[in-house]
Amino acid sequence: MSAGQRQVAMLTCVTLSTQRSPCRHAGMIRSRTTLAWAASLLAVGCAAAQTQYTATSSVRAQPKPESCSFDVLTTRPQRPFEELGIIDFTGGVVYKTGHRAGLPDSASELKDKAAQTVCRAGGDAVLADVNGLGQYVRATVIRYKPD
């Protein structure tokens, strides 16, 4: 490595530690860059929220096809219903604003993230719980009682 290349390598060094030490050679740049990419991929993987379904009653319903239709409600329906379970949206990084990464921000996003679970549980609708930041944090899966 020539003196000019070493100078460029020292100027473009990626350092993950708190020390301000210069890189010794290009190999360190490559290994530290790889480490930086691995750390960012890990952060992205941890950012995604997950869904967790918990049956909350002894009521069981027949599973529906994967692409079943269901209602997204924010208030209790007027018609009689039975609670089947709860979908909790967990995990995800919490930003300074208080928003949690990966939580649904709209009813349509909630529907997309909960669809497979709702259909598998045999639900007709979900009662959505929204936090103070407008994110959907929980959905109660319900089945309408026959009239």
Side-chain angles (χ1 to χ4, degrees), residues 42-126:
L42 179 63
V44 169
C46 293
Q50 301 170 353
T51 59
Q52 180 180 359
Y53 178 75
T54 305
T56 55
S57 71
S58 59
V59 175
R60 298 288 180 256
Q62 288 287 71
K64 294 184 176 186
E66 266 186 47
S67 60
C68 74
S69 64
F70 61 93
D71 301 325
V72 175
L73 310 170
T74 55
T75 59
R76 297 173 73 84
Q78 295 297 315
R79 60 194 286 193
F81 66 91
E82 299 171 310
E83 182 176 309
L84 300 175
I86 294 175
I87 302 170
D88 285 303
F89 296 96
T90 60
V93 175
V94 177
Y95 298 110
K96 289 180 183 180
T97 61
H99 278 80
R100 186 176 292 274
L103 290 185
D105 288 315
S106 66
S108 63
E109 193 177 344
L110 168 73
K111 196 165 190 167
D112 290 342
K113 289 189 179 215
Q116 188 177 21
T117 305
V118 174
C119 295
R120 198 178 302 143
D124 295 319
V126 292

Side-chain angles (χ1 to χ4, degrees), residues 5-23:
Q5 289 173 325
R6 261 191 308 265
Q7 204 170 21
V8 170
M10 288 174 68
L11 292 173
T12 58
C13 177
V14 176
T15 303
L16 292 178
S17 69
T18 57
Q19 299 175 350
R20 300 247 184 233
S21 62
C23 293

